[in-house]
Amino acid sequence: MKLRVPLLLKLGALVAATTGFYTYVGQLVPQKEVYPPKETQIKADVTTAEMVTIGKELFEGKGLCTTCHTIGKKEGPFRFPDLEGVDTRAKTREPGLSDIDYFAQTLYEPDAFIVPGFNPGMPTINKPPIGLTDQEILCLIAFLQTQGGTATVTIGTKHKYNGGGTTAVAAAPAAPVEKVPAESAPTPSQAVKP
Amino acid sequence: MSPRAKILAGAVLAVLALIAAARVVVTMVGRHEYKEPARARAADPTPRQQGLADEHAAEEKKNAAKPYVEAQYRAFPVVGSRVAIWVVAQLHLLFAAFVLAVPIFALIIEFIGYRTKDVRYDRLAYEFTKLLSVSFSLTATFGAALTFMLMILYPKFSNYLMSVFSPTFAPYVLLFFAEAFFLYTYYYGWGKFSPRVHLLLGLGLNLVGTGIMLIANAWLTFMMSPRGVSDSGAVISVMDAVTNFTWMPINVHRFIANIAFGGSVAGAYAAVKFLQAGSDEERAHYDWMGYVGNFVAISAFLPLPFAGYWLAKEIYAYSQTLGLTMMGGTFSWLFIIQAVLIGNLFLGANYYLWLGMGRVEGAVGFQKYIKYLLIVVAACFMVWATPHSIIATVSEVRAMGGSAHPALGVLGVMSAKNTAVNILILTTYMSFLLYRRTGKLSTVSWYRTGNAVQLAIFGAAAAIVIGLGIYGYFVEAKVRIGLSVPQVGSVLLAMIAITAIDVPMYRNAKMSAEVHWGKIPAISQYVLIFIAVTFTWLMGLMGYVRSGLRQHYHVYGVLPDTSVDAFTPTLGFATRVVSVTVLIFFALIGFVFWLASLHDKKDWGEGGHE
C-alpha cells in the first residue's frame, strides 16, 4: 500500500530541512565571539617598557590595527603595509620627521602621507570608532618603535598632535626612561596594570 | 420545698449563672485585648503609633527625594533584548519587502494585460495582489511591535534616533496612511474602476511604498554610516543624516532584492496552489504563475550582485575599518555561507528552467546543452564556496605550509570569486535564453547573423571575465580591486546587448511546438519553494551582516553599545537566529496563503462545507 503523505507535512519538511541545512553550514565555519575592547588604564608614572606592553595590547585590541596590518608576513598580497621593521623605515620616510613624528602623523593624520603602492584607507585613530586617547597613542608608538628599533617615547613626549611643536620632544619622564629593544619587549602576561 | 419556692430558687440561680457567665466572657475577652505595655510605655520613647507615622513620613520623604534616572537598557526575558529585537525587526523587514515588491510586478503584469487585452494577465496580477492585504497588516503589526520594543528595551538609543530623525516621522506616518489608502483601493477596486484609473492607483501604491522605504532606510543606514552629526553626536544637518554614505546603495540594493524576494515568495504561493490543484486548468494557471514569479525573482537576482558591489564599495569608502571587518575580519566567513546560498539559488533557478523545457514539445534540441551548463554552474559554485584559509589542526596547517591549501587556496581569493560569480550569472542568463527560445522559430532574415553575434558577445564577456580574473593574481591589490568593475561591466553589457538582439529576433517568431502549461514534474514546484526559503534565509543572513558590522556600536562611531549584548555573537548562533526567523516567517506566510485561498472557496451555504 502506498503511503500518502499530506502536502502540508511535505511542505513543512522541505522548509525545515532547507533551514536546517543552512543552519548546519553556519556551524561548520569558525566560531568566534568578538567582545568590545577593554579600556586601558595608563598610570601617570608608566615606564616605557610598560608602554610597549600596553601598546601591543592596543595594537591587537582596541586599536584594531591587525584588521589591516600584519607583522612579519613574508608573501603578498598585501592590502596594507606589513609592519615588520617599520621603525627603521619611519626614521627616514619623510625628511625632517623623526620616527615618533612620523608615527604620530600616520595615526592622527593618516592621509598626509600614503606609502607608495597602497591606497589611502587608514582611519584617524584618535577619532571614533577607534578613538584612542593621546596617551594610548603614545603607547602604540612605543610598541611600533620596537618593530625594528628601540622604544624611546615616554608618556610625557610631546609631538605636533598633542600640544608639542613640529618635532617630537621627550619630556622629563615621570619614571626613568628605559630603552626597550624589540627582543626584550615584555609579553602581555608581564604587563603592569594599575 | 414548695413548688413556688423551687421556681423562685431556679430563677435566682439562673440569674446568678447568667451573671457568672457574663463575668467569665468579659474576663476572657479582656485578657486577649491589646494593652499598651505598662513598662514599655515608660522605657520606649517611640510609641507604636508614632513609630508607624515616622516610618511612613520617612518613606514619603525618601520617595520625594528619589532622583530620576533614565534607563539605558531593559532586559527581555529568556532570549534577551538583542535576539528579541533581531527577530521582530527581521520579520518586519521580510513582510515589508514582500508588501513593497508585489505591487511592482503586479502593476507591470496588469499593464501588460491592459496593453495586450489579454485577461489572463489581469487575473494573474489580481492573484498576486490577493496576497497583499494580510501581509500589509502583518507588516504594520511587526512594525508597531518593533517600535514599542525599541522604546522599552533600548530607550537611550531610541531617544537618540528620535532626536536626529524626528522631522522624518510626520512624512513617514502620512505616507503610511497613503499606502493603506492606495493598497486597499487598488485591491478592492479591482475591476470597479476604468483600467487607467486602476493602473494609476497601482502607480500611487508603488510610489508611496518606495517613499516609505527611502525614509526607513535613512534610519538604518545612518546607524551604519552616520553623517550630519558632530563627533559627540549632536545633529548638524538632518538632510545629511538622511543622505548618509550608504543610503542610496542600500535603497537600490533593497529595491532590487525586494523584487527578487517578493517574486520568489509569490512563486512559492503558486507552487503550493499547483500542488493542491484539482484540475488541469488550475495546474496550468498556477504553473504559469509560478513561472512568472520565478522569472521576476531571477531577473532581479541577476543584477543584485552588482548592487552589492556598489554597496560594499561605499562601505569601504566610508570606513576601511568597517569594510575590512566585513570582508577580511569577523564577518569574512559569513560570505562563505552566502556563497552556499547563492550557489543553491543559481542551481535551483537553472534546474527549474531546465525542467520547464519539458512543457514544450521539441525541446530536446536545447536539452543537450544542459549538461554543459550544469558543469559550468557546479564548477563556479565550488570556486565561490572555497574559503581562502581552511579550518585545520596545527599538524595539518604545518603539512599544508600555511592555513591556505597549497592548490585550492588560490580559489579562495577575490579574483577567483569575482570570476566565478560573473560566469554563474552569464550561464544562468544563457539558460534563460535557451528556455525562451524553446518551441520558437525566428522568422527574421538575419537570424543566423544575430545568433553568431550573440555567441560572440557571450564569448567576449566570458573571456574578459576570466582573463581579468587571472590577471588579478599578478598585480598588486591597488590594481586588483579595480578589476571587478570591468568584469561586472562586461557581463552587464553582454546581457543588455544580447537581449537587445534577442527581442527583435523572436518578436514574430513562429511557434514550432505548443507550450503545455501545467505539464511539468511536481518536483519543479518544490524547487520553487526551496528557492523562496533560500531567498528568505539569504535576506536574514545579509540583514545580520549589515547590522552586525557596527559591532559594539548602536550608531557607528557615535553611540556605543554598553549593554550586556554589546559583543558580536558567533556565526553559528547568528545562523540559528536566522533559521528561527525564517521558520516563523514561513508559518505566517502559510497563513497568508491560506487566507488568500479562502477567496476561491465556495460560501458556506453554497456547499463549500459539507
Side-chain angles (χ1 to χ4, degrees):
Chain A
M1 197 179 83
K2 197 177 172 185
L3 184 67
R4 194 174 168 82
V5 182
L7 179 62
L8 192 66
L9 200 65
K10 284 186 197 171
L11 297 176
L14 175 62
V15 174
T18 309
T19 50
F21 171 69
Y22 295 135
T23 314
Y24 173 69
V25 173
Q27 313 310 307
L28 295 179
V29 300
Q31 305 294 323
K32 189 183 172 192
E33 282 181 346
V34 180
Y35 286 85
K38 287 178 185 161
E39 287 302 316
T40 309
Q41 291 185 340
I42 300 169
K43 294 185 295 184
D45 60 346
V46 65
T47 64
T48 299
E50 289 167 346
M51 285 174 71
V52 171
T53 307
I54 295 167
K56 186 171 191 292
E57 286 180 357
L58 289 167
F59 185 86
E60 292 165 350
K62 187 181 174 186
L64 300 179
C65 312
T66 50
T67 308
C68 307
H69 293 288
T70 50
I71 294 180
K73 189 180 174 188
K74 302 295 177 200
E75 288 177 21
F78 294 102
R79 190 149 203 173
F80 292 98
D82 182 82
L83 298 180
E84 187 176 45
V86 68
D87 191 60
T88 316
R89 298 189 292 276
K91 284 173 179 160
T92 55
R93 182 71 87 182
E94 283 199 83
L97 292 189
S98 69
D99 54 347
I100 296 172
D101 293 323
Y102 176 72
F103 285 136
Q105 180 182 277
T106 61
L107 296 168
Y108 285 92
E109 203 182 347
D111 289 342
F113 176 82
I114 305 296
V115 177
F118 293 93
N119 286 319
M122 174 97 173
T124 309
I125 300 298
N126 66 326
K127 294 270 176 71
I130 296 174
L132 295 192
T133 64
D134 289 340
Q135 289 180 325
E136 286 172 335
I137 288 177
L138 283 172
C139 293
L140 197 54
I141 291 173
F143 171 68
L144 291 172
Q145 282 188 301
T146 64
Q147 302 305 308
T150 305
T152 57
V153 74
T154 72
I155 203 68
T157 298
K158 294 287 176 197
H159 50 72
K160 183 182 168 185
Y161 302 95
N162 68 351
T166 50
T167 309
V169 178
V177 178
E178 304 164 57
K179 292 199 171 182
V180 185
E183 56 274 17
S184 64
T187 60
S189 59
Q190 295 170 295
V192 182
K193 284 282 181 71
Chain B
M1 192 182 281
S2 66
R4 182 174 291 196
K6 282 181 184 174
I7 290 167
L8 189 65
V12 170
L13 280 174
V15 170
L16 287 174
L18 194 65
I19 292 167
R23 177 73 187 168
V24 168
V25 168
V26 167
T27 308
M28 291 292 283
V29 170
R31 195 175 290 164
H32 289 90
E33 183 190 37
Y34 174 77
K35 293 189 181 75
E36 293 287 337
R39 277 180 295 173
R41 188 180 291 168
D44 188 354
T46 311
R48 185 171 184 276
Q49 292 302 325
Q50 185 59 42
L52 286 174
D54 288 351
E55 265 181 28
H56 187 66
E59 181 90 17
E60 276 189 348
K61 193 177 173 185
K62 189 179 157 193
N63 285 343
K66 192 175 179 180
Y68 171 67
V69 180
E70 200 162 49
Q72 294 198 11
Y73 301 101
R74 294 187 186 93
F76 190 89
V78 187
V79 294
S81 298
R82 173 167 61 182
V83 172
I85 287 284
W86 184 349
V87 171
V88 172
Q90 191 57 55
L91 285 169
H92 173 62
L93 287 171
L94 289 172
F95 276 103
F98 186 64
V99 168
L100 291 174
V102 171
I104 297 171
F105 51 83
L107 180 68
I108 294 169
I109 293 166
E110 189 191 0
F111 182 72
I112 294 170
Y114 168 69
R115 290 298 299 246
T116 59
K117 311 286 182 205
D118 189 339
V119 290
R120 288 179 313 147
Y121 285 100
D122 195 70
R123 188 185 158 203
L124 183 66
Y126 183 57
E127 189 93 30
F128 282 127
T129 311
K130 275 199 304 193
L131 300 170
L132 279 181
S133 63
V134 184
S135 304
F136 181 71
S137 304
L138 284 170
T139 309
T141 307
F142 279 116
L146 176 62
T147 309
F148 286 126
M149 284 172 70
L150 276 174
M151 287 192 291
I152 295 166
L153 303 175
Y154 292 87
K156 185 184 169 190
F157 162 65
S158 304
N159 277 344
Y160 179 67
L161 270 197
M162 282 183 216
S163 74
V164 177
F165 286 107
S166 54
T168 65
F169 293 162
Y172 185 84
V173 171
L174 287 174
L175 283 174
F176 199 79
F177 274 119
E179 182 166 38
F181 165 79
F182 279 117
L183 191 146
Y184 289 114
T185 320
Y186 184 66
Y187 173 55
Y188 289 108
W190 208 284
K192 315 288 182 200
F193 301 106
S194 85
R196 285 185 182 187
V197 171
H198 195 261
L199 283 168
L200 277 177
L201 285 171
L203 184 66
L205 173 60
N206 278 294
L207 291 175
V208 164
T210 307
I212 288 178
M213 186 190 76
L214 297 186
I215 295 178
N217 283 353
W219 306 335
L220 69 96
T221 51
F222 172 83
M223 290 162 66
M224 185 162 66
S225 55
R227 188 183 175 203
V229 292
S230 67
D231 286 350
S232 63
V235 185
I236 298 166
S237 163
V238 176
M239 189 47 80
D240 284 350
V242 169
T243 58
N244 64 73
F245 301 90
T246 54
W247 182 60
M248 197 43 81
I250 282 275
N251 287 338
V252 173
H253 194 272
R254 272 203 163 165
F255 183 77
I256 300 172
N258 286 353
I259 296 173
F261 168 72
S264 75
V265 174
Y269 168 75
V272 173
K273 295 290 285 182
F274 178 98
L275 294 167
Q276 288 175 329
S279 67
D280 286 347
E281 190 195 349
E282 265 190 279
R283 259 187 292 277
H285 174 70
Y286 287 112
D287 181 19
W288 184 49
M289 185 181 184
Y291 168 76
V292 173
N294 187 59
F295 173 74
V296 168
I298 300 306
S299 302
F301 180 54
L302 291 183
L304 198 55
F306 308 133
Y309 281 135
W310 182 31
L311 174 59
K313 185 173 170 287
E314 289 299 318
I315 289 173
Y316 270 100
Y318 166 67
S319 163
Q320 286 277 346
T321 313
L322 207 59
L324 283 162
T325 303
M326 177 173 70
M327 297 305 295
T330 316
F331 291 95
S332 57
W333 279 92
L334 182 141
F335 290 92
I336 295 297
I337 306 173
Q338 186 210 24
V340 173
L341 286 153
I342 294 185
N344 276 341
L345 280 176
F346 275 112
L347 272 177
N350 280 289
Y351 183 45
Y352 178 77
L353 281 174
W354 300 336
L355 285 171
M357 286 182 178
R359 293 185 191 107
V360 190
E361 291 165 9
V364 185
F366 288 120
Q367 281 176 332
K368 64 185 175 193
Y369 298 114
I370 287 171
K371 54 179 174 293
Y372 303 112
L373 296 174
L374 178 62
I375 291 167
V376 175
V377 170
C380 290
F381 184 3
M382 285 191 283
V383 170
W384 204 9
T386 303
H388 179 48
S389 54
I390 296 170
I391 310 164
T393 62
V394 176
S395 57
E396 286 168 337
V397 169
R398 279 198 195 121
M400 283 192 296
S403 61
H405 189 274
L408 298 177
V410 292
L411 301 179
V413 295
M414 281 315 285
S415 284
K417 295 191 189 307
N418 277 344
T419 307
V421 73
N422 280 299
I423 296 293
L424 261 178
I425 291 169
L426 268 181
T427 311
T428 305
Y429 180 71
M430 186 178 265
S431 267
F432 171 71
L433 220 60
L434 289 181
Y435 175 81
R436 185 179 131 77
R437 291 177 173 200
T438 312
K440 289 179 185 169
L441 286 175
S442 175
T443 52
V444 295
S445 58
W446 46 274
Y447 166 71
R448 286 188 185 283
T449 316
N451 250 349
V453 173
Q454 283 181 316
L455 261 179
I457 295 171
F458 261 123
I464 290 170
V465 168
I466 294 169
L468 289 178
I470 295 168
Y471 178 60
Y473 284 98
F474 301 99
V475 291
E476 56 187 28
K478 191 177 175 179
V479 181
R480 187 170 52 247
I481 292 164
L483 294 180
S484 62
V485 178
Q487 279 185 315
V488 165
S490 61
V491 170
L492 260 182
L493 209 66
M495 289 199 297
I496 293 167
I498 292 168
T499 309
I501 296 170
D502 214 62
V503 169
M505 202 155 80
Y506 281 88
R507 180 162 290 148
N508 298 311
K510 201 166 73 183
M511 296 302 290
S512 65
E514 206 179 328
V515 181
H516 298 287
W517 288 107
K519 301 286 181 202
I520 189 168
I523 194 167
S524 63
Q525 306 306 305
Y526 292 105
V527 173
L528 285 182
I529 294 164
F530 172 77
I531 289 173
V533 177
T534 304
F535 258 123
T536 313
W537 212 93
L538 182 60
M539 281 189 71
L541 185 74
M542 299 323 283
Y544 165 64
V545 68
R546 179 190 49 71
S547 189
L549 269 187
R550 301 190 311 269
Q551 295 193 293
H552 55 281
Y553 278 102
H554 292 307
V555 178
Y556 192 65
V558 175
L559 188 68
D561 180 354
T562 54
S563 72
V564 290
D565 294 323
F567 67 97
T568 305
T570 62
L571 285 173
F573 179 82
T575 54
R576 289 198 290 275
V577 177
V578 171
S579 284
V580 168
T581 312
V582 170
L583 290 174
I584 296 172
F585 175 76
F586 273 91
L588 290 170
I589 206 76
F591 173 66
V592 172
F593 289 178
W594 175 73
L595 276 180
S597 67
L598 284 182
H599 188 271
D600 301 328
K601 289 211 172 215
K602 287 180 181 171
D603 288 345
W604 184 270
E606 294 173 9
H609 297 267
E610 285 176 357

